[in-house]
Amino acid sequence: MSTATRGVRATQTGRAGWADIAGMALFALRGNWMRSILTALGVIIGIAAVIVMVSVGQGTQAQLDATIAKLGSNRVDVMPNFGRQGGVRMGAGSIFSLTTKDAAAIRERIPEATYVSGIVRGSTQVIQAEQNWSTSWQGVEADFFTINDWPLVLGEGLSDADYRGAGTSVVLGQSVREKLFGESDPIGASIRVGRVPFTVVGVLSSKGQSGWGGDQDDVVFVPLETARRRLMGQLQMPPGTLMQITVGTSRASDLPIVETALNELIRELHRIQPGADDDFMVRNLTQMVSARNETTRLMSLLLGAVASISLIVGGIGIMNIMLVSVTERIREIGLRMAVGATPGDIQRQFLAEAMMISLGGGLIGIAFGVGGALLAERFGSLPVQLDLDVILMATGFSVATGLFFGFYPARKAAQLDPIEALRQ
């Protein structure tokens, strides 16, 4: 039975409702199934590309959010800036401009600086019995672990007596614990950091990789004064020197206040004249990661826009094929109008065909998009986060594409003169 015959019967029996229109549209598409599939190909590619790109973008965003949590929230770092030697400008950190006096002044004079920790660091071998491992060490103060939101999973950690009396206690990162002790309990064990014996008093929770790819757990922590007296001999640093001062706030809204106050206070302490270069730099990690977040968001929008071009191309393909279909079926349209079909019936049928092509392509594109995103995560090592809202949005786009690009051909078919159409 031809599409024209089905349409005439539906019109004659007065059953030209939405069910009949959908049936006739499906019958017409089945009659040219290869052309229908090729027409839907643009929509399939567009929807699949949108889902993959947006899912990767959202996965990257989620990964950056996790990086922020690992770095510690509400945190500002102060570090030595560029130095000069013989008129030559050296790299950042090449001078020792920060001291314990700077850290003490920050505690006393910036009330919004809730937590303050001076830091020194280095690298050495750590040895336990026959096991040894090359790792980094950090000398820190009590606020360090609160600023970095880094809890213990074993032990009680460094005590106030350790900080005050330069005790030989050490806290291990998870990677060092695994290298030296495996799965056994290290609390109370003796290890050597370089040539200095220490007692393990805690193991930190795992933080994993940093945003720059380093292993944050491959480190050991000792009291600041212990590091200064026992581990920094070969570094030849002036007395009281700090490599970094980390400052934490109770509220995120205090970060800009603290950042401004730090710049003013340290310039004053270091007697830096107006217009002269700072011998320190203040780094707001939240701002830095927020900038990376904004970059990722813009890249996601760009990729989504590029992928959306495929939807437009697919929609244009639907319009072209529907225009061809109108031309091929002029006699059918005239016959239906001659037996009582209204222009609205004709318009709805062609709109239904365009929507079926785009919706069918959209559903297939969703399947390919979800599959492609999962494959990208598994084999491409890309962070992927599938979102139901994105899938529903893609479905809506596919329907909207059919409506938008199918309207003109459907309107053109509805405006045909039945007498002229029957003459074709």
Side-chain angles (χ1 to χ4, degrees):
M1 184 186 300
S2 68
T3 308
T5 305
R6 289 170 65 93
V8 169
R9 289 189 177 182
T11 303
Q12 288 175 338
T13 57
R15 294 186 297 105
W18 281 107
D20 292 295
I21 289 172
M24 286 184 287
L26 183 61
F27 187 84
L29 295 178
R30 285 172 53 194
N32 295 282
W33 63 271
M34 180 60 73
R35 185 171 70 180
S36 300
I37 292 175
L38 293 176
T39 303
L41 193 59
V43 177
I44 293 172
I45 295 173
I47 294 293
V50 167
I51 290 177
V52 171
M53 296 301 181
V54 174
S55 297
V56 171
Q58 289 185 339
T60 304
Q61 187 72 36
Q63 190 177 63
L64 286 175
D65 291 340
T67 299
I68 296 175
K70 291 176 180 178
L71 290 173
S73 58
N74 304 344
R75 167 182 165 181
V76 179
D77 289 339
V78 185
M79 294 174 291
N81 202 357
F82 301 93
R84 293 184 181 274
Q85 184 174 359
V88 178
R89 194 175 190 185
M90 311 298 288
S94 58
I95 59 174
F96 302 122
S97 60
L98 299 177
T99 67
T100 53
K101 293 181 180 180
D102 296 326
I106 292 170
R107 290 189 184 93
E108 294 173 3
R109 298 175 57 179
I110 304 179
E112 293 83 6
T114 311
Y115 310 102
V116 180
S117 173
I119 300 172
V120 294
R121 60 173 62 90
S123 59
T124 189
Q125 290 288 124
V126 291
I127 303 168
Q128 194 276 324
E130 71 279 3
Q131 303 296 328
N132 71 88
W133 181 248
S134 178
T135 188
S136 61
W137 55 264
Q138 290 192 32
V140 299
E141 295 180 277
D143 287 345
F144 175 85
F145 301 104
T146 302
I147 295 170
N148 288 274
D149 190 21
W150 205 343
L152 294 163
V153 293
L154 290 175
E156 298 182 356
L158 302 173
S159 66
D160 291 339
D162 290 323
Y163 291 115
R164 291 194 305 267
T168 55
S169 298
V170 63
V171 173
L172 308 181
Q174 281 286 351
S175 296
V176 178
R177 177 258 180 102
E178 292 171 4
K179 296 296 182 181
L180 298 183
F181 296 94
E183 296 300 321
S184 61
D185 186 352
I187 302 302
S190 178
I191 68 171
R192 279 190 294 140
V193 180
R195 298 180 179 179
V196 183
F198 283 84
T199 301
V200 178
V201 295
V203 177
L204 293 164
S205 62
S206 177
K207 273 187 174 276
Q209 286 191 339
S210 68
W212 298 271
D215 184 1
Q216 297 183 90
D217 301 314
D218 190 7
V219 63
V220 299
F221 294 96
V222 300
L224 176 62
E225 281 305 309
T226 305
R228 292 172 53 79
R229 296 179 188 180
R230 296 173 175 266
L231 301 178
M232 291 179 59
Q234 70 272 28
L235 298 181
Q236 298 180 351
M237 295 174 63
T241 297
L242 296 176
M243 295 180 174
Q244 179 178 326
I245 301 174
T246 297
V247 180
T249 65
S250 299
R251 299 174 300 181
S253 58
D254 289 337
L255 282 174
I257 299 172
V258 170
E259 190 171 0
T260 301
L262 284 171
N263 279 289
E264 294 175 354
L265 175 60
I266 300 178
R267 284 184 65 90
E268 176 189 334
L269 294 173
H270 293 189
R271 296 184 173 86
I272 300 174
Q273 298 300 315
D277 292 338
D278 293 337
D279 61 357
F280 66 95
M281 57 183 175
V282 178
R283 185 177 66 177
N284 186 335
L285 293 182
T286 302
Q287 290 181 351
M288 182 182 67
V289 178
S290 295
R292 292 182 63 184
N293 284 344
E294 182 65 16
T295 301
T296 303
R297 188 184 70 84
L298 292 175
M299 287 300 299
S300 297
L301 290 176
L302 177 61
L303 293 173
V306 172
S308 298
I309 293 174
S310 297
L311 280 176
I312 297 175
V313 173
I316 294 173
I318 291 175
M319 179 183 288
N320 288 336
I321 293 301
M322 295 307 299
L323 286 172
V324 171
S325 181
V326 170
T327 303
E328 291 178 345
R329 295 160 62 185
I330 287 179
R331 185 174 178 82
E332 171 196 331
I333 295 168
L335 181 59
R336 287 196 60 196
M337 286 183 170
V339 297
T342 64
D345 293 331
I346 302 299
Q347 182 169 320
R348 285 193 293 272
Q349 179 185 344
F350 280 88
L351 268 179
E353 292 180 21
M355 288 181 62
M356 282 186 176
I357 291 174
S358 61
L359 181 58
L363 294 176
I364 296 173
I366 288 171
F368 280 130
V370 172
L374 295 176
L375 289 174
E377 182 178 31
R378 181 170 182 179
F379 297 107
S381 299
L382 294 174
V384 170
Q385 184 174 349
L386 290 170
D387 191 341
L388 180 61
D389 291 339
V390 174
I391 295 176
L392 293 176
M393 180 185 69
T395 305
F397 270 133
S398 64
V399 174
T401 299
L403 279 173
F404 182 80
F405 289 99
F407 179 78
Y408 176 70
R411 185 70 175 168
K412 183 177 181 180
Q415 290 177 342
L416 286 175
D417 183 275
I419 297 175
E420 293 296 328
L422 288 172
R423 285 178 179 175
Q424 295 293 324

